[in-house]
């Protein structure tokens, strides 16, 4: 199941309650941010062609939304449903952050389109370096272990 991005805690609650009723193995979050619009400043034209300029937005803009959706669903889904984290991956730290928020796997969209399949070897190498810097040997050592701040502090 590939999910659109959600922005309200009530939406996370409601969608997770629905998904938990089904024998899903993976939920992939997020799909692109719906119907954005991008202007090319060199000639004042739209950059996205098919719908008069309207289209899904991915890449760097998607990362904070992806992190939040991955975190929210990994906290709410039953343990047998794993989360595939998608949105804003350009380097190994981006992959690391999605895993830290609860992803078991990741998907790469925009950066794969820009860089081609060789990106996977680079991401793997950069993720390994990031894990080594933190003393982690496996993904389970840090998956979902995002540190949060005490609201009283
Ligand atoms: C060229 C391109 C084509 C895409 N086509 C689809 C698609 O057919 N179905 C889908 O669910 N998502 C599609 N997406 C969205 C991506 O799967 C992904 O959810 C989104 O772009 C966010 O990830 P990103 O920041 O790595 O691009 C596409 C993205 C790109 C860049």
């Amino acid at each position: 199941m590939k999910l659109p991005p959600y922005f309200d805690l009530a939406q996370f609650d409601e969608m997770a309650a629905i998904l938990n009723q089904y024998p899903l193995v993976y939920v992939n979050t997020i799909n692109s941010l719906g119907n954005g619009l991008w202007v090319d400043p060199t000639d004042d034209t739209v950059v996205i062609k098919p719908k008069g300029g309207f289209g899904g937005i991915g890449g760097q803009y998607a990362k904070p939304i992806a992190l939040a959706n991955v975190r929210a669903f990994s906290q709410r889904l039953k343990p047998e449903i794993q989360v595939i984290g998608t949105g804003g991956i350009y380097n190994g730290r981006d992959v690391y952050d999605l895993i830290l928020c609860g992803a078991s796997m990741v998907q790469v969209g925009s950066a794969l389109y820009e860089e081609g399949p060789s990106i996977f070897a680079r991401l793997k190498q950069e993720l390994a370096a990031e894990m080594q810097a933190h003393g982690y040997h496996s993904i389970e050592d840090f998956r979902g272990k995002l540190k949060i701040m005490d609201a009283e502090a």
Side-chain angles (χ1 to χ4, degrees):
M1 174 79 68
K2 179 89 176 266
L3 299 179
Y6 296 103
F7 297 90
D8 292 316
L9 298 182
Q11 291 177 316
F12 295 136
D13 290 342
E14 282 180 36
M15 194 60 199
I18 293 167
L19 295 170
N20 281 333
Q21 295 172 30
Y22 295 93
L24 297 169
V25 180
Y26 291 107
V27 160
N28 186 333
T29 177
I30 59 174
N31 210 327
S32 43
L33 300 155
N35 290 309
L37 200 150
W38 197 275
V39 178
D40 182 344
T42 63
D43 60 3
D44 295 356
T45 58
V46 295
V47 168
I48 302 171
K49 288 178 196 169
K51 293 194 287 178
F54 291 85
I57 303 294
Q60 270 107 353
Y61 290 99
K63 185 179 169 188
I65 316 299
L67 293 176
N69 277 260
V70 165
R71 173 101 172 138
F73 281 106
S74 66
Q75 288 175 323
R76 287 165 175 76
L77 293 175
K78 55 189 180 182
E80 48 272 43
I81 306 179
Q82 296 187 62
V83 175
I84 301 173
T86 306
I89 293 178
Y90 285 84
N91 57 49
R93 180 67 210 201
D94 297 326
V95 177
Y96 181 95
D97 288 344
L98 282 162
I99 296 169
L100 201 60
C101 287
S104 299
M105 237 185 265
V106 299
Q107 185 205 334
V108 186
S110 301
L112 170 63
Y113 184 79
E114 289 162 19
E115 191 172 327
S118 66
I119 191 172
F120 294 116
R122 178 174 68 77
L123 291 175
K124 194 175 163 193
Q125 194 178 34
E126 290 174 3
L127 174 62
E130 195 68 42
M131 287 170 61
Q132 194 175 25
H134 290 82
Y136 294 142
H137 302 289
S138 85
I139 280 172
E140 290 310 315
D141 289 343
F142 67 104
R143 192 172 65 79
K145 295 190 179 150
L146 177 69
K147 296 175 189 167
I148 55 166
M149 289 181 279
D150 185 348
E152 301 299 315

